[in-house]
Amino acid sequence: MNFREELILRCASRRRQKLGQMSDAAYQELLLAVKQDPKAYVDDPAEKAYVILGKTLRKFNESARDDDLLDDDQYMAARAKRFEVLAKACDAAIELDAGCLDAHLLRALATIERPDKLLDALLGLEEKFKDDDRPVDQLEWGDVWSRPRLRLRAAVARTCGDAACWKMARDAAESVLRATEKDGDPLGARNTAALAYARLEDEESLNALEARWSQGNAWSNLARCLLLYKLGRMPAARRALRGYGQLTKGAAYALLKPMYVEVFLPDRPELAPGSFDEALAAVHEAEVIIADTPDFIAWCQALDWFEADARAYAEKHDLDW
C-alpha cells in the first residue's frame, strides 16, 4: 500500500470538494501542488489519521530489517513489540477519525491471529462500513475513497483461504477483481482466485482466469500444479511443476523448504515478478491447500530434478538444506 500516493489523492480530492467547481486542468495543477508539499494540505482529521498510519507502517517495516540477525526468542519479542506499537497507532488514528477503515483493518490484522476469528472481525467491519448501497464489484479503484473497502474485501478473500472457506474466498476475490482488473489488479485478487479454483478443482474457471492475463506468476503456476495433481493427471502435473520451477526463482526451494512469511499489512506487498519473494508468498498463501493435498510434497520430492533445483538454489544462496 502506497500511503503517500493515497494521501496526495485524498488531500487533492478533499480540497477540490471544498473549492467547488474545478476544471480537470485546474485539478491537475492542484494535484501537482499537493505532490510537492502534501503536509501543507493535511488539514482534516481524516488525513491526519492517515499520516499516522503511513508513518507507523514505514517504521514497522524498517524495524524488521534486522530480524535475520535475531535468535527465535529475540525475534518473537521484537515482533510482539512492533505489533503493539502498530495497534496503538491504529487506536490513535481511530481516535482522530473513527471512520478510518484502514486503521480498523490494520488493527484487526495486527491483533487477531486465528483465521476464523479474524474473518469474523473483517466481515463485521464490512457490515459496519457499508457506506452506500454499491456492492464491492461496482466500486472504482480510481476513486481513492473506495480503496479502503476494496482493501478490506481483498483481506476477507485471503482470510477465507486461510480459514479453508474456499468458495467464499473465490467469490470475494472475484468481486475485487471485477472492480480492479482494468487498473491492473493492484490488490492481487487474481492470486487468491487462482488458489481458490485450484482447491475447488475448477479447471475451467482457472483456465478462464489465466486467459485474462498476458503471463502467469508464482500463484497461478503453483495453482496449476496443485489442480492437476488433485485431478490425478500426473504427466500434466509434472510439466506444470517444471514450468513453475523454471519461471520463478527459487520456486522449488520455497515449496520444499517453506519459510515464515509475515502477515500482509494491510495488503500483499509489491513483489518483483518471478522473484524468490514472490515464490515464498505464493507458497505461504497456498499452505492450507498443500496441507490438505495428501502426498503432494512427497511427490515433488520424489522428482529428482525438482529436489536438485531446490538443493542448488540453497547452496547458491547459502540457505539451510
Side-chain angles (χ1 to χ4, degrees):
M1 179 180 177
N2 189 329
F3 271 97
R4 187 177 189 279
E5 175 198 2
E6 293 200 20
L7 177 65
I8 289 168
L9 292 173
R10 288 165 64 103
C11 289
S13 177
R14 195 179 295 278
R15 182 60 61 93
R16 185 180 198 177
Q17 292 171 4
K18 289 180 179 179
L19 295 175
Q21 294 294 328
M22 179 180 288
S23 68
D24 290 343
Y27 176 69
Q28 290 302 315
E29 290 184 10
L30 171 62
L31 192 59
L32 181 60
V34 178
K35 286 181 180 179
Q36 292 175 341
D37 188 10
K39 293 181 181 180
Y41 292 85
V42 177
D43 55 5
D44 186 277
E47 271 59 73
K48 293 178 181 178
Y50 221 66
V51 170
I52 289 175
L53 294 182
K55 288 181 177 179
T56 303
L57 264 186
R58 185 176 66 252
K59 292 179 180 178
F60 181 97
N61 293 327
E62 289 173 352
S63 69
R65 289 176 180 172
D66 294 329
D67 279 355
D68 290 344
L69 303 177
L70 305 178
D71 62 31
D72 289 347
D73 289 341
Q74 292 173 328
Y75 166 75
M76 292 306 297
R79 182 181 185 274
K81 181 63 177 178
R82 278 199 299 274
F83 276 85
E84 180 184 350
V85 171
L86 177 58
K88 289 181 178 179
C90 290
D91 289 339
I94 292 168
E95 187 174 349
L96 275 173
D97 175 23
C100 184
L101 178 52
D102 284 312
H104 288 279
L105 172 58
L106 273 170
R107 196 184 196 289
L109 293 171
T111 59
I112 306 174
E113 294 188 4
R114 280 183 47 180
D116 58 336
K117 297 294 185 182
L118 177 58
L119 182 56
D120 287 343
L122 298 183
L123 293 175
L125 287 177
E126 282 200 314
E127 186 62 30
K128 181 178 179 180
F129 286 91
K130 190 182 294 183
D131 52 2
D132 57 41
D133 294 329
R134 290 181 299 166
V136 168
D137 57 7
Q138 291 182 13
L139 299 178
E140 296 279 346
W141 181 255
D143 173 15
V144 70
W145 307 108
S146 293
R147 293 186 184 184
R149 280 188 64 193
L150 288 165
R151 271 192 288 271
L152 173 57
R153 192 63 179 161
V156 167
R158 293 193 306 272
T159 306
C160 283
D162 291 338
C165 300
W166 288 106
K167 290 183 179 179
M168 287 179 63
R170 171 200 64 195
D171 294 345
E174 282 288 5
S175 69
V176 175
L177 198 52
R178 285 192 292 273
T180 61
E181 184 170 353
K182 64 181 179 295
D183 297 292
D185 185 29
L187 295 173
R190 69 165 170 145
N191 302 331
T192 306
L195 294 176
Y197 288 131
R199 177 61 183 86
L200 297 171
E201 300 181 21
D202 187 349
E203 186 175 11
E204 181 179 353
S205 294
L206 181 59
N207 289 342
L209 178 69
E210 290 182 341
R212 289 149 63 180
W213 303 91
S214 59
Q215 62 183 33
N217 59 22
W219 290 269
S220 61
N221 294 330
L222 180 56
R224 176 68 61 185
C225 297
L226 286 163
L227 173 67
L228 293 170
Y229 179 86
K230 289 169 68 64
L231 293 176
R233 288 159 49 191
M234 307 316 290
R238 283 194 295 273
R239 290 193 295 272
L241 187 67
R242 188 179 291 276
Y244 162 72
Q246 292 175 342
L247 294 171
T248 307
K249 293 179 181 178
Y253 185 85
L255 185 57
L256 298 183
K257 298 287 186 179
M259 298 181 182
Y260 179 77
V261 175
E262 191 57 90
V263 62
F264 300 145
L265 296 169
D267 49 22
R268 189 185 291 104
E270 291 187 17
L271 302 169
S275 67
F276 182 54
D277 286 339
E278 184 183 77
L280 289 176
V283 170
H284 167 70
E285 291 184 66
E287 282 178 353
V288 176
I289 306 175
I290 294 169
D292 196 36
T293 305
D295 299 327
F296 175 70
I297 294 299
W299 171 74
C300 294
Q301 289 175 319
L303 299 170
D304 293 342
W305 52 267
F306 193 75
E307 184 168 346
D309 284 351
R311 187 184 298 274
Y313 189 86
E315 292 175 356
K316 182 177 180 180
H317 295 87
D318 196 26
L319 298 171
D320 292 335
W321 181 255

